[in-house]
């Protein structure tokens, strides 16, 4: 009997271009020691004109070292996924020499790409039709005028265009149970399990835009004309008002809706909380899971570079 809660799941983890690979290595070792197969996609990127979504922790403008790193990731049996999530990419940005060199190398290594810009998606697919492109969770925050703006129809359109689609956590938490039967191909749907942002935050698109500008200018500061609503909330309020999925909710989505692509982010969590989430979501709460926790506990916290 497998100790994995979801043996057939594909896990997307925020561990690409982390400052070190201890956590990735320990998770893999856990699976091997438990004689379990793993299917991991490690996502992230470094600062460049195509990056966006969340602040990148890594600055790397060396193509050769990037290729060497990606080669090692592939040798571990992990699929790298670049978070080229900048929504406001221009035609001029498509000509960026460094981004194109990375793109060419990444395609040759069978990496994937997480994208919110139609312009970038079409550019990549024209050059490399075989490139695997995922629709970023960011995209609906820019393109849906309201949370009730025919969201299921939007995702069906994205499924026609992209290889995989990441849904807004609000949609997953509150709507997907009733509307799953309307989705064209739920097996290509990916859900984010531990989103802690304010549900339907009115500043989400503005925040993502500010991050894009910081990434583009290589700045540490965000030029914003708003304050994140979370800043003034107590721990109790943050805990109560979020769209994190409980294990019971996730059980339903995997076992009943047959969703297989599961995603974790790590940016808002300290080391202990990240490890707790990994154990809670990945493993059955029995026996050998305690052993896996001991291995993971020695690892540094991940840095989300989405």
């Amino acid at each position: 009997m497998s100790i994995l809660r979801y043996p057939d799941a594909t896990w997307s983890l925020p561990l690409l271009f982390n400052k070190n690979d201890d956590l990735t290595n320990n998770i893999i070792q856990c699976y091997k020691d438990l004689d379990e197969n793993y299917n991991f996609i490690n996502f992230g990127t470094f600062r460049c004109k195509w990056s966006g979504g969340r602040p990148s922790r890594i600055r790397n403008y060396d193509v050769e070292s990037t290729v060497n790193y990606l080669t090692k990731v592939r040798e571990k049996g992990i699929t790298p996924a670049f978070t080229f999530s900048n929504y406001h990419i221009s035609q001029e940005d498509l000509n960026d020499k460094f981004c194109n060199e990375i793109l060419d190398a990444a395609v040759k290594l069978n990496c994937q790409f997480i994208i919110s810009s139609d312009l970038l998606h079409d550019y990549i697919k024209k050059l490399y039709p075989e490139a695997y492109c995922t629709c970023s969770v960011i995209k609906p925050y820019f393109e849906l005028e309201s949370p009730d703006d025919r969201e299921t129809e939007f995702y069906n359109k994205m499924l026609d265009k992209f290889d995989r689609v990441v849904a807004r956590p609000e949609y997953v938490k509150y709507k997907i149970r009733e509307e799953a039967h309307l989705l064209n191909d739920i097996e290509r749907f990916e859900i984010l399990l531990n989103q802690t942002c304010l549900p339907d935050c009115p500043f989400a698109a503005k925040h993502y835009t500010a991050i894009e500008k910081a990434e583009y200018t290589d700045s540490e500061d965000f030029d914003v004309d708003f304050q994140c609503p979370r800043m003034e909330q107590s721990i109790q309020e943050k805990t109560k008002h979020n769209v994190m999925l409980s294990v019971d909710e996730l059980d339903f989505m995997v076992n009943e809706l047959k969703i297989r692509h599961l995603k974790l982010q790590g940016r808002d969590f300290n080391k202990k909380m990240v490890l707790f989430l990994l154990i809670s979501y990945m493993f059955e709460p029995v026996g050998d899971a305690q052993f896996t926790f001991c291995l993971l506990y020695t690892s540094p916290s991940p840095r989300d570079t989405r």
Side-chain angles (χ1 to χ4, degrees), residues 67-212:
V67 170
N68 291 338
Y69 170 74
L70 294 173
T71 300
K72 292 179 181 178
V73 173
R74 294 294 305 177
E75 288 173 350
K76 295 174 184 177
I78 294 174
T79 300
F82 278 80
T83 49
F84 287 158
S85 304
N86 188 329
Y87 183 78
H88 296 98
I89 286 177
S90 67
Q91 189 68 44
E92 182 180 356
D93 293 333
L94 296 180
N95 298 325
D96 184 79
K97 182 176 182 293
F98 174 70
C99 289
N100 277 279
E101 289 176 345
I102 292 297
L103 172 63
D104 182 68
V107 170
K108 290 176 180 176
L109 287 167
N110 294 317
C111 298
Q112 298 182 5
F113 306 94
I114 303 171
I115 300 168
S116 60
S117 163
D118 286 334
L119 187 65
L120 180 59
H121 171 273
D122 295 347
Y123 175 76
I124 291 176
K125 283 292 191 179
K126 182 178 180 179
L127 290 176
Y128 308 99
E130 75 280 15
Y132 192 102
C133 296
T134 296
C135 180
S136 171
V137 68
I138 294 169
K139 192 173 181 64
Y141 289 102
F142 284 103
E143 298 190 3
L144 293 177
E145 294 182 2
S146 73
D148 297 320
D149 189 25
R150 305 175 74 175
E151 193 160 1
T152 300
E153 181 180 330
F154 171 82
Y155 290 129
N156 282 334
K157 290 180 179 178
M158 295 303 103
L159 286 167
D160 288 340
K161 185 180 184 72
F162 289 84
D163 297 294
R164 190 167 72 247
V165 173
V166 185
R168 282 192 326 127
E170 293 91 339
Y171 178 83
V172 174
K173 181 87 169 178
Y174 303 123
K175 295 182 180 180
I176 199 170
R177 281 175 178 256
E178 288 72 31
E179 301 193 12
H181 68 286
L182 300 174
L183 291 166
N184 290 341
D185 190 355
I186 202 167
E187 291 187 1
R188 292 193 288 123
F189 230 55
E190 182 168 275
I191 59 175
L192 178 58
L193 312 185
N194 60 328
Q195 172 68 284
T196 59
C197 289
L198 186 72
D200 298 320
C201 176
F203 302 119
K206 282 189 174 182
H207 197 177
Y208 288 131
T209 300
I211 292 169
E212 291 171 1

